[in-house]
Amino acid sequence: MKAKRILATAVACIMAMSILAGCGNTQSESGTSGSGSKADSGSSFDTTSSISVITREDGSGTRSAFIELTGVQEEKDGQTTDNTLPSAIVQSSTQAVITGVSGDKTAIGYISLGSLNDTVATVKIDGVAPTVETVKDGTYKISRPFNIATKDDLSEAAQNFVDYILSAEGQEIVGEQGYVEVVENAEAFAGAKGEGTVKVGGSSSVAPVMEKLAEAYEKVNSKVTVEVNTSDSSTGVSSAAEGTVDIGIASRELKDSETTKGLTGTAIAKDGIAVIINKENTVNDMTLDQLKGIYTGSITTWELG
Amino acid sequence: MRKYKEKIMQGVFLCAALVSIAAVALICLFLFVNGIPAMAKIGVFDFLLGTKWAPSNEPASYGIWPMILGSIYITAGAVILGVPIGIMTAIFLSRFCPKKLYRVIKPAIDLLAGIPSVVYGFFGMVVLVPFVRNTFGGNGYGVLTASILLAIMILPTIISVSESAVNAVPNSYYEGALALGATKERSVFSAVVPAAKSGILAGVVLGIGRAIGETMAVILVAGNSTIIPDSILSSVRTLTANIVMEMGYATDLHREALIATGVVLFVLILIINLLFAVVKNKGVEK
C-alpha cells in the first residue's frame, strides 16, 4: 500500500515537472528560433534570435556610467528612473559579464575597455570602434573617468601612493594597460615616502590597473605594502568614507551624497565602456539609440536593420 | 568536595547552552530592531507585496514580492527534485546496498557535503547553465538551473539524516513483516520506512533550511533579475541574493530595507519549521 502511494506521488511529481517544462519550452520557443542559432555554428548567425541582455549590479560604477551615457536612465521632474529591462541578467563583476557573453551566442553586455580580452568581440557605436585612441579624442562616446576617493587625513604612505599614481611613471602604466591618461604634463615621481600598509578597494573595472600601479609602486617604495580588494564602485567609496580603506576606487564620478561625507574625488584615468557580444555574433555595428533600445527592452531580437 | 565539582560542571554546561541562546537572541534583536522600523517607513504592504525593487531611482522603490516568490520557487524546485532522490538513496543505502558498493557511495556523499558552495556555483555556471540553455532554450540562467543545483546541494543532508533514521528502526519491524509473508521490498516500504518517518522529515526540513539560505551558488546561476518568474526558465532573484548583492554599499533606508529582507527570511524559516512540527504531530496521532 505504502509503496503504491510513494510510486503514485513520484509519477505525479514527474508529470508536474514535465508540464512545467512544456510551458517553459513553448514560451522560450516563441522567443528564440529553436535550433536555428544552435545548429549553424559560426557560419551564419540567426538574427531572429532574441537578445540575452546582461547588465551589472546596482552599485556598479560601470552600470551608473553606462545608463547615464546611453540614456537608459531618465531624469524627469526631479525623478530619476533606471529603465533597464527588468528581465536582464545581473552579473556582479566585469569578469562575470565576460564569461556570460562568451558562453552565450545571443548575449550582449558592457565592460571596461581596459578589461577587454579576445574571448569576446566588440560592437561599433555609430561607426566608431572602442579603442584607446577613440576614447582619447572623444569620438567614442561611451567613456567615463576612473576616480579615487580619499579623505583629507591620508597617511603619509597613502598620500605618497596617490602622488605616484598622478606622476609621469604612474600615468605611463595607466597608458600601458589600455586606459587614457588624464594628467597633463605629469611630473616625475618625487620619491618614496612613508611606510606601512595602504588599503585600496572598490570597482572591479579599476582594480586591474590599480593592481599594476600597486606592484610598480611597491618596487619603488619597499617599506609600503598596497592591498587592493575588489567589490564595486559604490562599496569602495562608502568604505573610504567609513575608513575601512584608505583609498576608494570608483569607475564613475562621485555623487553629491558622497562628497558631502568629506571625500574628494581625483581622476586617475579615463576608460571607455566597450559593448561586447559573442564572437559568433555578426551584428557588430549599432547606433546609440539602438543600444538604448536593447537595454530598455524595446528592441528584442538581433534584427537591427 | 565531589558535590562542588558536580555543581561547577553543571554551571559550565549551563553557560555553554546559554551561549547558543544568547547568539540566537542577539541575532533576533539586531534583525527586528533594525528591520521593523524600516518596514514601517516603507509601508508594510508596499514592502512585502510591492513588485518593484529599485533603490537607486528617485524616489526609490523597495518591493520584495518578486524576491519572496523567487526564494519559494527555487526551494520548492529543489525539494521536488532532491527529496525523492534523497529518501530513495537513503533507503537503498540502509537496506538494499551491497557492502562493497556502500564503501564507495558513502564517502562520495560525504565528499559532496563538504564541497564549498562557491565551487557548486562555478560548476553550475560552467556546466549546468550551457546544459539548460541547449536542452530547454532561453539563456540558461533561471529557476530550473538553480533548482537542479540546489537539489544536488541538499542531497547529502537529506541522505545522511534519513539513512540514520532508517538504520535506527529496530530490526524486529522488518523481521515481523517478513514473518507475515511480505516480500523484502514490501517489508521495507510498509514497515520500516513509516517507523523512520520523523527522522526522514527532520532530514527534509534541514535540507529545506539549507536550500532557502543558500546564497553564493544561487547568485551565479539564477540570473538575478528583479522580476516575478513566469516560467521555470525565467531569471529570478532570491531574498539572500538581494541582500548580498547590495549590502556592501547600501546606506540609510536602503540598508535598513535589506535588514528587513533578513527579517522576512527569518520569518519564512520559522513558518517552515512550524509547518513541519504540525505535520509531524498529526502523523504521531494517527
Side-chain angles (χ1 to χ4, degrees), chain B residues 14-28:
Chain B
L14 184 63
C15 282
L18 285 177
V19 166
S20 323
I21 300 179
V24 175
L26 277 172
I27 292 177
C28 275

Side-chain angles (χ1 to χ4, degrees), chain B:
Chain B
M1 193 54 218
R2 211 179 279 171
K3 244 193 171 174
Y4 287 129
K5 261 197 187 169
E6 284 284 324
K7 286 253 152 126
I8 291 176
M9 285 322 286
Q10 270 186 348
V12 169
F13 294 140
L14 184 63
C15 282
L18 285 177
V19 166
S20 323
I21 300 179
V24 175
L26 277 172
I27 292 177
C28 275
L29 201 68
F30 164 75
L31 276 180
F32 285 99
V33 163
N34 285 308
I36 303 285
M39 277 204 250
K41 259 188 254 180
I42 303 168
V44 179
F45 284 115
D46 283 332
F47 183 64
L48 291 175
L49 298 176
T51 53
K52 197 158 181 217
W53 175 266
S56 353
N57 282 357
E58 305 246 342
S61 336
Y62 298 107
I64 61 168
W65 183 241
M67 274 69 90
I68 295 179
L69 278 184
S71 284
I72 293 181
Y73 283 6
I74 289 187
T75 309
V79 165
I80 293 177
L81 288 173
V83 167
I85 300 180
I87 298 182
M88 297 295 180
T89 310
I91 298 174
F92 172 75
L93 280 178
S94 168
R95 289 278 156 187
F96 294 100
C97 191
K99 282 238 157 43
K100 283 197 184 154
L101 200 54
Y102 186 81
R103 260 181 269 151
V104 173
I105 297 186
K106 195 72 173 70
I109 293 177
D110 290 336
L111 193 65
L112 211 59
I115 298 178
S117 50
V118 177
V119 175
Y120 272 114
F122 278 134
F123 164 74
M125 207 169 159
V126 169
V127 175
L128 277 182
V129 168
F131 167 71
V132 171
R133 187 188 301 145
N134 294 326
T135 322
F136 297 100
N139 51 34
Y141 297 98
V143 180
L144 183 62
T145 323
S147 299
I148 296 177
L149 191 65
L150 277 179
I152 301 176
M153 290 178 84
I154 64 176
L155 271 181
T157 316
I158 298 180
I159 294 176
S160 326
V161 179
S162 306
E163 198 208 336
S164 317
V166 175
N167 274 339
V169 174
N171 223 16
S172 52
Y173 283 52
Y174 177 64
E175 287 169 2
L178 280 182
L180 289 172
T183 59
K184 179 175 183 183
E185 291 73 29
R186 193 78 180 269
S187 321
V188 169
F189 279 98
S190 347
V192 178
V193 172
K197 220 171 22 173
S198 65
I200 294 180
L201 219 54
V204 172
V205 174
L206 275 172
I208 293 183
R210 176 150 191 211
I212 227 183
E214 192 47 59
T215 317
M216 252 352 271
V218 173
I219 283 187
L220 292 172
V221 297
N224 304 315
S225 322
T226 54
I227 51 168
I228 296 182
D230 52 3
S231 80
I232 56 170
L233 295 176
S234 160
S235 166
V236 68
R237 187 186 283 205
T238 56
L239 290 166
T240 48
N242 201 33
I243 298 176
V244 163
M245 286 171 74
E246 310 196 344
M247 202 42 150
Y249 60 87
T251 48
D252 315 319
L253 190 54
H254 188 185
R255 168 169 278 187
E256 291 176 18
L258 292 174
I259 298 178
T261 313
V263 171
V264 173
L265 206 53
F266 201 72
V267 169
L268 259 173
I269 296 184
L270 276 178
I271 294 178
I272 292 176
N273 278 324
L274 272 171
L275 266 170
F276 271 99
V278 164
V279 169
K280 212 170 75 169
N281 282 337
K282 275 205 172 151
V284 167
E285 278 161 26
K286 264 195 196 161

Side-chain angles (χ1 to χ4, degrees), chain A residues 130-150:
Chain A
T131 65
V132 178
E133 290 76 34
T134 53
V135 171
K136 204 168 194 168
D137 60 23
T139 47
Y140 186 73
K141 301 190 198 106
I142 315 180
S143 67
R144 57 359 191 331
F146 278 174
N147 279 309
I148 49 173
T150 49

